[in-house]
Amino acid sequence: DLDVHTTCYHRSMNMIAVGGYLRGLRGVKDLTQTQVAAEVGRQLKRDVQPTTIWRIETARTIPKTDMLLAMLAILGGSVADLVRLNTQDNATAEDGLLAARDWFNTSAAAATPAPAAAVATATATAASPAALAAALNSATAAPIASSFASLR
């Protein structure tokens, strides 16, 4: 049954918390799902509908690695936060929203790179799940690499 499989997979991937994080980042950037979908589509060179963004934010679909990386490149945020939320047992959508607000408050004081530079950096340094994990250089890199590898 697809629903049972999807629910179990969501729990193991903790897409509820990840979705909350992405929704929170979108909110602090004051972007609509339509705007994010258009920009993700441009980055990935394919059609991305606003409903796809909604489904990711509400844990109704499991995005592929390229989609997650494109969303982070557009919305900002931290791969380390994504890893932590993804691997944290019982993390909730509210945990994701709070992490997004914390990231924004922390990064607001620092200069943020231009959007094109952020996309180029994400593409160059995290072209694959293994590269993403290596870039993190943390104890949680292995679980996220295996989780992201299963998304392909």
Side-chain angles (χ1 to χ4, degrees):
D1 184 335
L2 181 62
D3 291 333
V4 171
H5 170 73
T6 302
T7 300
C8 293
Y9 197 73
H10 281 176
R11 286 187 184 146
S12 69
M13 285 294 300
N14 210 343
M15 288 307 301
I16 293 169
V18 169
Y21 185 68
L22 295 170
R23 186 174 65 247
L25 292 173
R26 184 176 59 78
V28 296
K29 294 267 186 155
D30 198 28
L31 296 172
T32 66
Q33 291 171 341
T34 301
Q35 292 169 315
V36 172
E39 186 58 31
V40 168
R42 276 191 285 282
Q43 296 300 319
L44 300 178
K45 296 181 170 70
R46 65 178 187 245
D47 184 42
V48 176
Q49 296 297 312
T51 54
T52 300
I53 304 304
W54 173 81
R55 292 178 61 79
I56 292 167
E57 289 179 354
T58 58
R60 285 175 171 76
T61 195
I62 301 168
K64 291 187 178 184
T65 304
D66 62 344
M67 179 76 69
L68 282 174
L69 293 175
M71 289 180 73
L72 276 181
I74 293 158
L75 299 172
S78 160
V79 174
D81 284 343
L82 198 68
V83 169
R84 182 180 50 76
L85 291 166
N86 183 52
T87 57
Q88 182 179 347
D89 289 337
N90 302 319
T92 65
E94 182 66 23
D95 293 329
L97 289 169
L98 292 172
R101 288 185 198 127
D102 289 346
W103 176 86
F104 180 75
N105 290 335
T106 301
S107 67
T112 54
V119 170
T121 300
T123 303
T125 62
S128 70
L132 176 64
L136 292 173
N137 192 22
S138 72
T140 58
I144 195 68
S146 65
S147 296
F148 278 166
S150 68
L151 294 176
R152 287 189 175 248

Coordinates of all heavy atoms in Angstrom, one line a residue, residues 48-100:
V48 N 8.2 22.8 -12.7 CA 7.9 22.5 -11.3 C 6.7 23.3 -10.9 O 6.7 24.5 -11.1 CB 9.1 22.9 -10.3 CG1 8.7 22.6 -8.9 CG2 10.4 22.1 -10.7
Q49 N 5.7 22.6 -10.4 CA 4.4 23.2 -10.1 C 4.4 23.7 -8.6 O 5.0 23.1 -7.8 CB 3.2 22.3 -10.3 CG 3.1 21.8 -11.8 CD 2.7 23.0 -12.6 OE1 1.8 23.8 -12.3 NE2 3.4 23.2 -13.8
P50 N 3.6 24.8 -8.3 CA 3.5 25.2 -6.9 C 3.0 24.1 -6.0 O 3.3 24.0 -4.9 CB 2.5 26.3 -7.0 CG 2.6 26.8 -8.4 CD 2.9 25.6 -9.3
T51 N 2.1 23.2 -6.6 CA 1.6 22.1 -5.8 C 2.8 21.1 -5.3 O 2.7 20.5 -4.3 CB 0.6 21.3 -6.5 OG1 1.1 20.8 -7.8 CG2 -0.7 22.1 -6.7
T52 N 3.8 21.1 -6.1 CA 5.0 20.3 -5.8 C 5.6 20.8 -4.5 O 6.0 20.1 -3.6 CB 6.0 20.2 -6.9 OG1 5.4 19.6 -8.1 CG2 7.2 19.4 -6.5
I53 N 5.8 22.1 -4.5 CA 6.4 22.8 -3.3 C 5.5 22.6 -2.1 O 5.9 22.2 -1.0 CB 6.6 24.3 -3.6 CG1 7.4 24.6 -4.8 CG2 7.1 25.0 -2.3 CD1 8.8 23.9 -4.8
W54 N 4.2 22.7 -2.3 CA 3.2 22.5 -1.2 C 3.3 21.0 -0.7 O 3.4 20.8 0.5 CB 1.8 22.7 -1.7 CG 0.7 22.3 -0.7 CD1 0.3 23.1 0.4 CD2 0.0 21.1 -0.6 NE1 -0.6 22.4 1.1 CE2 -0.9 21.2 0.5 CE3 -0.1 20.0 -1.5 CZ2 -1.7 20.1 0.8 CZ3 -0.9 19.0 -1.2 CH2 -1.8 19.1 0.0
R55 N 3.5 20.1 -1.6 CA 3.6 18.7 -1.2 C 4.8 18.4 -0.4 O 4.9 17.6 0.5 CB 3.4 17.7 -2.4 CG 2.0 17.8 -3.0 CD 1.9 16.9 -4.3 NE 2.2 15.5 -4.0 CZ 1.3 14.7 -3.5 NH1 0.1 15.1 -3.1 NH2 1.7 13.4 -3.3
I56 N 5.9 19.1 -0.8 CA 7.2 18.9 -0.1 C 7.1 19.5 1.3 O 7.4 18.9 2.3 CB 8.4 19.5 -0.8 CG1 8.6 18.7 -2.1 CG2 9.6 19.6 0.0 CD1 9.5 19.4 -3.1
E57 N 6.5 20.7 1.4 CA 6.4 21.4 2.7 C 5.5 20.7 3.7 O 5.6 20.9 4.9 CB 5.9 22.8 2.4 CG 6.9 23.7 1.8 CD 6.4 25.1 1.5 OE1 5.2 25.4 1.8 OE2 7.2 26.0 1.1
T58 N 4.5 19.9 3.1 CA 3.6 19.3 4.0 C 3.8 17.8 4.1 O 3.0 17.0 4.6 CB 2.1 19.5 3.5 OG1 2.0 19.0 2.2 CG2 1.7 21.0 3.6
A59 N 5.0 17.3 3.7 CA 5.5 15.9 3.8 C 4.5 15.0 3.0 O 4.4 13.8 3.4 CB 5.7 15.5 5.2
R60 N 4.0 15.4 2.0 CA 3.1 14.5 1.2 C 3.9 13.9 0.0 O 3.3 13.1 -0.7 CB 1.9 15.3 0.7 CG 0.9 15.5 1.8 CD -0.3 16.4 1.4 NE -1.3 16.4 2.4 CZ -1.3 17.1 3.5 NH1 -0.2 17.8 3.8 NH2 -2.3 17.2 4.3
T61 N 5.1 14.4 -0.2 CA 6.0 13.8 -1.2 C 7.4 13.8 -0.7 O 7.7 14.6 0.1 CB 5.8 14.4 -2.6 OG1 6.4 13.6 -3.6 CG2 6.5 15.8 -2.6
I62 N 8.2 12.9 -1.2 CA 9.6 12.9 -0.9 C 10.4 13.5 -2.0 O 10.5 12.9 -3.1 CB 10.1 11.4 -0.6 CG1 9.2 10.9 0.6 CG2 11.6 11.4 -0.2 CD1 9.4 9.4 0.7
P63 N 11.0 14.6 -1.8 CA 11.8 15.2 -2.9 C 13.1 14.5 -3.2 O 13.7 13.9 -2.3 CB 12.0 16.7 -2.4 CG 12.1 16.5 -1.0 CD 11.1 15.4 -0.6
K64 N 13.6 14.6 -4.4 CA 14.9 14.1 -4.8 C 15.9 15.1 -4.3 O 15.6 16.3 -4.0 CB 15.0 13.9 -6.3 CG 14.1 12.7 -6.7 CD 14.3 12.4 -8.2 CE 13.4 11.3 -8.6 NZ 13.7 10.8 -9.9
T65 N 17.1 14.6 -4.2 CA 18.2 15.5 -3.7 C 18.4 16.8 -4.5 O 18.5 17.8 -3.9 CB 19.6 14.7 -3.9 OG1 19.4 13.5 -3.1 CG2 20.7 15.5 -3.3
D66 N 18.3 16.7 -5.8 CA 18.4 17.9 -6.6 C 17.3 19.0 -6.3 O 17.6 20.2 -6.2 CB 18.5 17.7 -8.1 CG 17.2 17.0 -8.7 OD1 16.3 16.5 -7.9 OD2 17.0 17.0 -9.9
M67 N 16.1 18.5 -6.0 CA 15.1 19.4 -5.6 C 15.4 20.1 -4.2 O 15.2 21.3 -4.0 CB 13.7 18.7 -5.5 CG 12.6 19.5 -5.1 SD 11.9 20.6 -6.4 CE 11.3 19.5 -7.5
L68 N 15.8 19.3 -3.2 CA 16.2 19.8 -1.9 C 17.3 20.8 -2.0 O 17.2 21.9 -1.4 CB 16.6 18.7 -1.0 CG 15.5 17.9 -0.4 CD1 16.0 16.7 0.4 CD2 14.5 18.7 0.5
L69 N 18.3 20.5 -2.8 CA 19.4 21.4 -2.9 C 19.0 22.7 -3.7 O 19.5 23.8 -3.3 CB 20.6 20.7 -3.7 CG 21.3 19.6 -2.9 CD1 22.3 18.9 -3.8 CD2 21.9 20.1 -1.6
A70 N 18.2 22.6 -4.7 CA 17.7 23.8 -5.4 C 16.9 24.7 -4.4 O 17.0 25.9 -4.4 CB 16.9 23.4 -6.6
M71 N 16.0 24.0 -3.6 CA 15.2 24.8 -2.7 C 16.1 25.5 -1.7 O 15.9 26.7 -1.4 CB 14.2 23.9 -2.0 CG 13.1 23.5 -3.0 SD 11.8 22.5 -2.2 CE 10.9 23.7 -1.2
L72 N 17.1 24.8 -1.1 CA 18.0 25.5 -0.2 C 18.8 26.6 -0.8 O 19.0 27.7 -0.2 CB 19.0 24.5 0.4 CG 18.5 23.7 1.6 CD1 19.6 22.7 2.1 CD2 18.0 24.5 2.7
A73 N 19.2 26.4 -2.1 CA 19.9 27.5 -2.8 C 19.1 28.7 -2.9 O 19.6 29.9 -2.8 CB 20.4 27.0 -4.1
I74 N 17.8 28.5 -3.2 CA 16.9 29.7 -3.4 C 16.4 30.3 -2.1 O 16.4 31.5 -1.9 CB 15.6 29.2 -4.2 CG1 16.1 28.8 -5.6 CG2 14.5 30.2 -4.2 CD1 15.1 27.9 -6.3
L75 N 16.1 29.4 -1.1 CA 15.5 29.9 0.2 C 16.6 30.3 1.2 O 16.3 30.9 2.2 CB 14.6 28.8 0.7 CG 13.4 28.5 -0.1 CD1 12.7 27.3 0.5 CD2 12.5 29.7 -0.3
G76 N 17.8 29.8 1.0 CA 18.8 30.0 2.0 C 18.7 28.8 3.0 O 18.2 27.7 2.6
G77 N 19.1 29.0 4.2 CA 19.0 27.9 5.1 C 20.4 27.2 5.2 O 21.3 27.5 4.5
S78 N 20.4 26.2 6.0 CA 21.6 25.4 6.3 C 21.5 24.0 6.0 O 20.5 23.4 6.5 CB 22.0 25.7 7.8 OG 22.8 24.7 8.2
V79 N 22.4 23.4 5.3 CA 22.4 22.0 5.1 C 22.5 21.3 6.4 O 21.9 20.2 6.6 CB 23.5 21.6 4.1 CG1 23.6 20.0 4.0 CG2 23.3 22.2 2.7
A80 N 23.3 21.8 7.3 CA 23.5 21.2 8.6 C 22.1 21.2 9.4 O 21.8 20.2 10.0 CB 24.5 22.0 9.4
D81 N 21.3 22.2 9.2 CA 20.0 22.2 9.9 C 19.1 21.1 9.2 O 18.4 20.4 9.9 CB 19.3 23.5 9.7 CG 19.8 24.6 10.6 OD1 20.4 24.3 11.6 OD2 19.5 25.8 10.4
L82 N 19.2 21.0 7.9 CA 18.4 20.0 7.2 C 18.9 18.6 7.7 O 18.0 17.7 7.9 CB 18.7 20.1 5.7 CG 17.7 19.4 4.8 CD1 16.3 20.1 4.8 CD2 18.2 19.4 3.4
V83 N 20.1 18.4 7.8 CA 20.6 17.1 8.3 C 20.1 16.8 9.7 O 19.6 15.7 10.0 CB 22.2 17.0 8.3 CG1 22.7 15.8 9.1 CG2 22.7 17.1 6.9
R84 N 20.3 17.8 10.6 CA 19.8 17.6 12.0 C 18.3 17.3 12.1 O 17.9 16.4 12.8 CB 20.1 18.9 12.8 CG 19.8 18.8 14.3 CD 20.1 20.1 15.0 NE 19.5 21.3 14.4 CZ 18.3 21.7 14.5 NH1 17.4 20.9 15.1 NH2 17.9 22.8 13.9
L85 N 17.5 18.0 11.4 CA 16.1 17.8 11.4 C 15.7 16.4 10.8 O 14.9 15.7 11.3 CB 15.3 18.9 10.6 CG 15.3 20.2 11.3 CD1 14.9 21.3 10.3 CD2 14.5 20.2 12.6
N86 N 16.5 16.1 9.7 CA 16.2 14.8 9.1 C 16.6 13.6 10.0 O 15.9 12.6 9.9 CB 17.1 14.7 7.8 CG 16.8 13.5 7.0 OD1 15.7 13.1 6.7 ND2 17.9 12.8 6.7
T87 N 17.6 13.7 10.8 CA 18.0 12.6 11.6 C 17.5 12.7 13.1 O 17.7 11.7 13.8 CB 19.5 12.5 11.6 OG1 20.1 13.8 12.1 CG2 20.1 12.2 10.2
Q88 N 16.9 13.7 13.4 CA 16.4 13.9 14.8 C 15.1 13.1 15.0 O 14.1 13.3 14.3 CB 16.1 15.4 15.1 CG 15.7 15.7 16.5 CD 15.5 17.2 16.7 OE1 15.9 18.0 15.8 NE2 14.8 17.6 17.7
D89 N 15.1 12.2 16.0 CA 13.9 11.4 16.2 C 12.8 12.4 16.7 O 13.0 13.3 17.5 CB 14.1 10.4 17.3 CG 15.0 9.3 16.8 OD1 15.0 9.0 15.6 OD2 15.7 8.6 17.6
N90 N 11.6 12.1 16.2 CA 10.4 12.9 16.7 C 10.4 14.4 16.4 O 9.7 15.1 17.1 CB 10.1 12.6 18.2 CG 9.9 11.1 18.4 OD1 9.3 10.4 17.7 ND2 10.5 10.6 19.5
A91 N 11.2 14.8 15.5 CA 11.2 16.3 15.1 C 9.9 16.6 14.5 O 9.3 15.7 13.7 CB 12.4 16.6 14.2
T92 N 9.3 17.7 14.7 CA 8.0 18.1 14.2 C 8.1 19.2 13.2 O 9.2 19.8 13.0 CB 7.1 18.6 15.4 OG1 7.7 19.8 15.9 CG2 7.0 17.5 16.5
A93 N 7.0 19.5 12.6 CA 7.0 20.7 11.6 C 7.4 22.0 12.4 O 8.1 22.8 11.9 CB 5.7 20.8 11.0
E94 N 6.9 22.1 13.6 CA 7.2 23.2 14.4 C 8.7 23.4 14.7 O 9.3 24.5 14.7 CB 6.4 23.2 15.8 CG 6.7 24.4 16.7 CD 6.1 25.7 16.1 OE1 5.2 25.7 15.3 OE2 6.6 26.8 16.5
D95 N 9.4 22.2 14.9 CA 10.8 22.2 15.1 C 11.5 22.8 13.8 O 12.5 23.5 13.9 CB 11.4 20.8 15.3 CG 10.9 20.3 16.7 OD1 10.7 21.1 17.6 OD2 10.8 19.0 16.8
G96 N 11.0 22.4 12.7 CA 11.5 22.9 11.4 C 11.3 24.4 11.2 O 12.2 25.1 10.8
L97 N 10.1 24.9 11.6 CA 9.8 26.3 11.5 C 10.7 27.1 12.5 O 11.2 28.1 12.1 CB 8.3 26.6 11.9 CG 7.3 26.1 10.9 CD1 5.9 26.2 11.5 CD2 7.4 27.0 9.6
L98 N 10.9 26.6 13.7 CA 11.8 27.3 14.6 C 13.2 27.3 14.1 O 13.9 28.3 14.3 CB 11.7 26.6 16.0 CG 10.4 26.8 16.7 CD1 10.3 25.9 18.0 CD2 10.1 28.2 17.1
A99 N 13.7 26.2 13.5 CA 15.1 26.1 13.0 C 15.2 27.2 11.9 O 16.3 27.8 11.7 CB 15.4 24.7 12.5
A100 N 14.2 27.3 11.0 CA 14.2 28.3 10.0 C 14.3 29.7 10.5 O 15.1 30.5 10.0 CB 13.0 28.2 9.1

